[in-house]
Amino acid sequence: MELHDVWFVLIAVLWTGYFFLEGFDFGVGILTKLLARDRKEKRVLINTIGPVWDGNEVWLLTAGGATFAAFPEWYATLFSGFYLPLLIILVCLIVRGVAFEYRAKRPEEKWQRNWEEAIFWTSLIPAFLWGVAFGNIVRGVKIDAHKEYVGTFWDLLNGYSILGGLVTLFLFTFHGSVFTSLKTVGEIRERSRALALKLGLATAVLALSFLIWTQVSRGDTKSLVAMVIAVVALVGAIGAIKIGREGWSFALSGITIAAAVAMLFLTLFPNVMPSSLHEEWNLTVSNASSSPYTLKIMTWCAGIATPVVLLYQGWTYWVFRKRIGTQHIADAH
């Protein structure tokens, strides 16, 4: 296996980690409006992800940096062609981080409500747009012979990509509701389980439609195997939450995300960004990659840094592993 193939796999792993971790992160943010009935319950939801949300975003930074270094042509075409949706995502992530930090800086109810509203919308919008972006990457976009995107913003809004956006939106919200049931106690835990069951059924319909569409249009045997794993894991996650096994449900919903991302990258390979204009203009792992020397240096650096990142992030989740409820939240002044 060539180094550019290795880095294609590593970037797929980084996106899998990001969607697994930030997925429930976004889901909890969305649930602050769908699940919480009062201010105290919103604080419970926010506190479940308070210690980990910023660490989860490290995976996005690493995935973007790895793409820039390993596949500069892919990075350039992707970020120029998808400039507006990626800019919207970036603004949402910035505002979201500020909202988490500033929400409790002042005691006024209006101040806190505004930041909580920001948390909801800056969780919902990226959850949808990431699916739209990856749907277009898999489907193919207008790339010319000079490896430049020549389409418009409206070309990115098509049936397949919009369905992909709905899948990530519902899947992340389901993932977040399972995480909430795993991290809370009392009434909010029971309601999150009930909501997770409803969201799971809707997610299953959307995900199955999107995965079948992907398999029929671009899939092969390997992607079919990944699709079957994703579907079985999602059904298992729904069944597990129904019988109150939140831990199993969370693990299975994570496997669903991992298998779905794997399927998308399997349908791409050896392309990294197909051209809808001409097959010869596809960006591939070979014509979009950096030099072998650059990839070699990157591999050594990744081999040293990655275990450290995994250890400290795993330690963070271990420290903040206990459940919380409204009884753990002090009354607001």
Side-chain angles (χ1 to χ4, degrees):
M1 181 181 288
E2 299 289 338
L3 277 179
H4 51 63
D5 297 332
V6 172
W7 274 97
F8 179 82
V9 175
L10 290 177
I11 288 172
V13 171
L14 290 171
W15 280 111
T16 300
Y18 175 67
F19 287 145
F20 176 84
L21 297 173
E22 194 83 310
F24 73 74
D25 199 323
F26 285 144
V28 172
I30 295 169
L31 291 177
T32 56
K33 188 177 285 289
L34 301 183
L35 182 64
R37 291 179 175 176
D38 54 36
R39 302 294 311 290
K40 185 171 283 191
E41 289 190 351
K42 285 186 178 181
R43 291 167 67 190
V44 169
L45 292 175
I46 292 172
N47 284 358
T48 62
I49 59 174
V52 299
W53 68 267
D54 48 354
N56 294 343
E57 291 186 355
V58 170
W59 290 79
L60 173 61
L61 298 175
T62 309
T67 304
F68 172 77
F71 299 100
E73 294 286 355
W74 183 14
Y75 182 92
T77 304
L78 176 65
F79 277 77
S80 60
F82 292 26
Y83 181 81
L84 183 56
L86 292 178
L87 177 62
I88 294 172
I89 291 174
L90 177 61
V91 171
C92 284
L93 295 180
I94 293 172
V95 174
R96 190 168 183 265
V98 173
F100 281 128
E101 298 295 335
Y102 275 54
R103 183 190 62 84
K105 295 297 184 183
R106 289 171 56 179
E108 292 88 347
E109 183 174 339
K110 183 178 180 181
W111 170 274
Q112 296 188 5
R113 285 188 183 277
N114 287 340
W115 286 119
E116 288 164 359
E117 192 77 16
I119 289 172
F120 169 77
W121 287 107
T122 56
S123 298
L124 184 147
I125 293 172
F128 174 74
L129 288 181
W130 279 127
V132 173
F134 272 82
N136 277 293
I137 292 174
V138 173
R139 176 178 177 266
V141 292
K142 294 180 178 179
I143 300 174
D144 64 12
H146 304 290
K147 302 178 182 178
E148 295 180 359
Y149 178 74
V150 293
T152 66
F153 169 76
W154 302 109
D155 292 324
L156 303 177
L157 299 179
N158 51 77
Y160 179 77
S161 65
I162 291 174
L163 178 58
L166 291 174
V167 169
T168 52
L169 175 60
F170 275 80
L171 181 56
F172 291 169
T173 309
F174 169 70
H175 196 42
S177 62
V178 174
F179 177 79
T180 300
S181 66
L182 182 64
K183 286 287 294 179
T184 57
V185 294
E187 184 182 350
I188 193 171
R189 176 189 177 191
E190 299 302 321
R191 281 191 278 114
S192 65
R193 283 173 53 188
L195 180 59
L197 188 59
K198 297 176 182 177
L199 287 170
L201 296 175
T203 301
V205 174
L206 291 170
L208 186 61
S209 302
F210 179 75
L211 295 178
I212 290 176
W213 191 343
T214 304
Q215 178 63 28
V216 170
S217 59
R218 308 191 68 90
D220 55 15
T221 304
K222 293 179 181 178
S223 62
L224 178 61
V225 172
M227 177 184 130
V228 171
I229 293 173
V231 172
V232 171
L234 180 57
V235 172
I238 298 170
I241 198 67
K242 185 175 182 180
I243 62 176
R245 301 298 297 271
E246 294 102 337
W248 281 102
S249 182
F250 183 70
L252 288 168
S253 65
I255 292 173
T256 301
I257 293 173
V261 174
M263 180 185 180
L264 295 182
F265 275 87
L266 285 170
T267 59
L268 271 178
F269 189 81
N271 299 316
V272 294
M273 205 166 177
S275 171
S276 60
L277 299 178
H278 200 292
E279 188 173 329
E280 293 183 359
W281 299 342
N282 292 347
L283 293 180
T284 67
V285 292
S286 56
N287 67 21
S289 68
S290 295
S291 67
Y293 182 74
T294 300
L295 296 177
K296 184 177 180 180
I297 296 298
M298 288 177 59
T299 304
W300 278 104
C301 293
I304 296 171
T306 302
V308 177
V309 174
L310 293 176
L311 283 173
Y312 86 69
Q313 193 160 25
W315 178 79
T316 302
Y317 277 92
W318 175 255
V319 170
F320 295 99
R321 66 189 181 279
K322 292 185 178 180
R323 295 176 182 266
I324 63 173
T326 53
Q327 66 271 29
H328 301 117
I329 304 296
D331 292 331
H333 295 289

